[in-house]
């Protein structure tokens, strides 16, 4: 009996000692995880390319180049044609000043002299008995032949000038699509990465809210300055394609000798080459509604190197040399459909809103391209 108790007590003590040893034995360490090098934890972020600054704008979004008084804009109390900066315009101005104006002046003076002579020579007091003459062969031949000769004299330079105005642009031309809207202009450069620009008239300081951009003398004259000018290179042919989204407008720059109608459902084309850098202004020249007088046009002509930087600043690319444009139906070999449509998700700005003075003069995503089937 005592032997059985001794065995049970020994077993109890042995069991209690094992439990106590298990409680005091330290836990096994967790498996070590090798730390990854800092540069291998995540791939290095790719460096973003530096954004090209717009060479035509200051840091606050205002224009660097100010217009020159009397060049590319109307001048108060001045008569005559604006100074021309295109070869076509120079030819047309010379034709007007050296041929048409002298002929018109001579005819007007001659007719006035005939009227005065007839009133004096054939008045009732000097001719109490009126003449019965009703026919004079020599005079009738003269007044028929002389106008025909005058018209023939001016026909040749006039027709030659008209042909130059509608001569198709060469393959290296910069294509610009001008789209008339009520009441602002939008532009696209289809061969330069689809750059899209919306140009609204800049209002006067008294017409805008504090903090909004307003017109200054560096922007241009009242009613002609815009927030976003279109930029063209000097010495390079420009192909202008005009159309409209609503009613008939007309794109006109007097210093370029350019006036072309922008008609909904139609693409009209003309070309010109600007010879001198500068800023040139125009207006819509077709009555298009209540705010017809408030949709000006501003073109800044720059050197080709500056134009390339401007294209890069707008996110565009320069096209291949001598590559025909697919945007101009009149261009030989370019019978493809017009592919200048801006994205359908583009934001259409309100009619004539001004832009924030603190914002760079960037282009806007104007969903204004119409007539994509033309």
């Amino acid at each position: 009996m005592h032997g059985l108790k001794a065995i049970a007590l020994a077993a109890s003590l042995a069991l209690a000692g094992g439990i106590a040893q298990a409680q005091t034995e330290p836990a096994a360490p967790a498996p070590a995880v090798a730390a990854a090098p800092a540069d291998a934890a995540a791939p290095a972020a790719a460096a973003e390319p530096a954004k090209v600054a717009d060479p035509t704008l200051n840091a606050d979004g205002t224009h660097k180049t100010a217009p020159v008084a009397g060049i590319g804009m109307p001048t108060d109390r001045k008569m005559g044609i604006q100074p021309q900066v295109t070869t076509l315009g120079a030819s047309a101005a010379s034709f007007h000043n050296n041929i048409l104006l002298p002929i018109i002046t001579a005819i007007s003076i001659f007719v006035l002299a005939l009227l005065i002579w007839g009133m004096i020579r054939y008045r009732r007091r000097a001719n109490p008995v009126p003449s019965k003459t009703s026919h004079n062969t020599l005079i009738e031949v003269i007044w028929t032949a002389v106008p025909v000769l005058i018209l023939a004299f001016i026909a040749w330079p006039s027709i030659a000038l008209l042909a130059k105005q509608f001569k198709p642009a060469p393959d290296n031309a910069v294509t610009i699509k001008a789209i008339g809207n009520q009441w602002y202009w939008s532009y696209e450069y289809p061969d330069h990465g689809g750059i899209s620009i919306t140009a609204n008239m800049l209002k006067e300081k008294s017409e805008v809210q504090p903090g909004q951009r307003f017109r200054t003398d560096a922007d241009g004259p009242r009613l002609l300055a815009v927030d976003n000018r279109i930029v063209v290179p000097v010495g390079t042919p420009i192909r202008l394609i005009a159309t409209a989204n609503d009613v008939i407008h007309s794109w006109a720059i007097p210093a370029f000798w350019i006036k072309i109608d922008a008609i909904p459902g139609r693409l009209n084309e003309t070309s010109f080459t600007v010879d001198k850098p500068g800023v040139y202004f125009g207006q819509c020249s077709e009555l298009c509604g209540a705010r017809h007088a408030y949709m000006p046009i501003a073109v800044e002509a720059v050197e080709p190197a500056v134009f390339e930087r401007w294209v890069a600043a707008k996110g565009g690319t320069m096209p291949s040399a001598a590559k025909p444009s697919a945007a101009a139906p009149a261009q030989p070999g370019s019978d493809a459909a017009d592919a200048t449509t801006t994205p359908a998700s583009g934001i259409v700005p309100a009619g004539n809103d001004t832009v924030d003075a603190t914002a760079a003069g960037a282009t806007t995503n104007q969903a204004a391209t119409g007539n994509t089937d033309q």
Side-chain angles (χ1 to χ4, degrees):
M1 187 69 180
H2 291 285
L4 184 60
K5 289 183 179 179
I7 293 173
L9 179 61
S12 301
L13 291 175
L15 181 60
I19 295 175
Q21 183 179 4
Q23 291 177 347
T24 57
E25 186 175 342
V33 179
D39 55 352
E48 295 184 359
K51 185 176 181 181
V52 180
D54 191 329
T56 66
L57 298 178
N58 296 310
D60 60 354
T62 58
H63 298 115
K64 285 184 179 180
T65 305
V68 178
I71 303 297
M73 68 178 75
T75 303
D76 191 25
R77 301 179 183 276
K78 184 177 181 179
M79 298 178 61
I81 298 172
Q82 289 186 17
Q84 297 298 301
V85 294
T86 65
T87 302
L88 175 66
S91 300
S94 176
F95 175 54
H96 173 271
N97 295 333
N98 301 326
I99 297 179
L100 293 183
L101 197 57
I103 291 177
I104 293 172
T105 302
I107 292 175
S108 299
I109 293 175
F110 177 69
V111 172
L112 179 61
L114 284 180
L115 289 173
I116 295 175
W117 180 73
M119 288 187 294
I120 296 175
R121 174 66 180 81
Y122 298 104
R123 68 188 189 278
R124 179 181 295 181
R125 182 178 298 178
N127 297 272
V129 179
S131 172
K132 302 295 185 178
T133 303
S134 61
H135 182 76
N136 187 302
T137 303
L138 178 61
I139 292 179
E140 290 186 0
V141 170
I142 291 174
W143 74 37
T144 301
V146 170
V148 171
L149 293 176
I150 293 174
L151 291 176
F153 178 71
I154 67 176
W156 176 76
S158 178
I159 294 174
L161 179 63
L162 189 63
K164 291 178 182 178
Q165 286 182 286
F166 294 98
K167 182 180 179 180
D171 288 343
N172 66 332
V174 173
T175 301
I176 300 176
K177 188 173 184 180
I179 306 160
N181 307 273
Q182 289 181 313
W183 288 272
Y184 58 93
W185 290 95
S186 54
Y187 302 93
E188 293 176 356
Y189 290 71
D191 299 332
H192 293 77
I195 297 174
S196 179
I197 299 174
T198 296
N200 287 289
M201 185 190 76
L202 284 174
K203 299 180 181 179
E204 299 301 298
K205 185 176 182 180
S206 60
E207 299 174 341
V208 301
Q209 299 296 326
Q212 286 187 313
R213 183 177 170 187
F214 54 86
R215 184 196 67 85
T216 65
D217 291 339
D219 295 315
R222 179 178 175 270
L223 300 181
L224 292 179
V226 300
D227 52 3
N228 291 314
R229 299 170 181 169
I230 60 170
V231 179
V232 300
V234 297
T236 302
I238 307 298
R239 177 188 298 107
L240 182 76
I241 303 174
T243 187
N245 272 335
D246 33 53
V247 298
I248 299 177
H249 302 273
S250 185
W251 199 91
I253 298 281
F256 296 170
W257 202 266
I258 290 294
K259 180 182 182 295
I260 184 169
D261 286 344
I263 304 173
R266 181 181 177 87
L267 297 177
N268 287 336
E269 178 182 331
T270 188
S271 62
F272 58 91
T273 302
V274 184
D275 298 329
K276 299 178 182 178
V279 184
Y280 308 98
F281 298 94
Q283 289 178 302
C284 176
S285 298
E286 185 72 41
L287 187 60
C288 59
R291 296 186 63 82
H292 159 68
Y294 304 103
M295 50 182 303
I297 304 164
V299 178
E300 184 171 345
V302 299
E303 296 295 338
V306 178
F307 177 73
E308 291 184 13
R309 289 163 50 202
W310 179 84
V311 169
K314 300 304 179 187
T317 55
M318 296 298 294
S320 301
K323 179 183 178 181
S325 172
Q331 177 66 18
S334 297
D335 53 356
D338 181 16
T340 63
T341 307
T342 47
S345 59
I347 301 174
V348 180
N352 285 280
D353 292 346
T354 55
V355 297
D356 189 352
T358 61
T363 56
T364 54
N365 293 326
Q366 171 62 35
T369 300
N371 318 300
T372 56
D373 57 342
Q374 300 299 316

